[in-house]
Amino acid sequence: MSNSPIADGLKGRCPDCGSGSLFSGFLKYAPSCAACGKDFQSEDAGDGPAVFVIFIAGFFIVPLALVFQLALDAPVWLTMIIWGPIILISSILMLRPLRGIMLTLQLSRDAGEAQFEDEDEL
Ligand SMILES: [Zn+2]
């Protein structure tokens, strides 16, 4: 528990032991920590981070694509062919650490509220 939840999330590491991975696939959460067995399944950040990331990517990258198109007087189809994948890939790359942070923040918040767990179960 020495690291902050954000540092653990960025690295995709279990916030409890710091060695197990939060993910079982590239973006899929693992059901539990492979190293210490901490349960991750009670948490699901859903599609919130995806929307957030696409918004960030669009905000920063679309202006670059516009500058590219105007500076080179490039046709729209060329701009889309080049920048479409860049936007997509950068979004996916940002999504993983963001999903990690979402999960570790939720896990750390729940750890602080563990004494009220019984009231929330049903
Ligand atoms: Zn662990």
Side-chain angles (χ1 to χ4, degrees):
M1 295 291 280
S2 55
N3 289 325
S4 75
I6 290 175
D8 288 325
L10 273 175
K11 289 180 289 186
R13 293 293 161 191
C14 169
D16 267 21
C17 66
S19 70
S21 175
L22 293 173
F23 298 95
S24 62
F26 183 68
L27 289 175
K28 189 176 185 300
Y29 289 141
S32 64
C33 176
C36 72
K38 181 172 177 59
D39 181 23
F40 299 147
Q41 258 177 337
S42 56
E43 306 298 337
D44 184 9
D47 291 330
V51 174
F52 190 54
V53 161
I54 290 165
F55 179 77
I56 293 173
F59 188 80
F60 287 107
I61 295 172
V62 168
L64 289 176
L66 279 175
V67 168
F68 166 86
Q69 184 179 343
L70 294 174
L72 299 184
D73 199 19
V76 172
W77 62 264
L78 181 61
T79 303
M80 290 178 75
I81 284 176
I82 293 174
W83 289 90
I86 291 175
I87 291 171
L88 197 66
I89 290 166
S90 58
S91 297
I92 291 169
L93 289 178
M94 278 193 281
L95 196 52
R96 184 175 159 105
L98 270 176
R99 275 178 69 81
I101 291 170
M102 295 281 290
L103 183 58
T104 52
L105 282 179
Q106 283 182 311
L107 289 169
S108 67
R109 186 195 62 207
D110 282 3
E113 296 171 353
Q115 64 266 38
F116 302 117
E117 205 171 55
D118 290 343
E119 295 169 36
D120 296 336
E121 282 302 309
L122 302 170

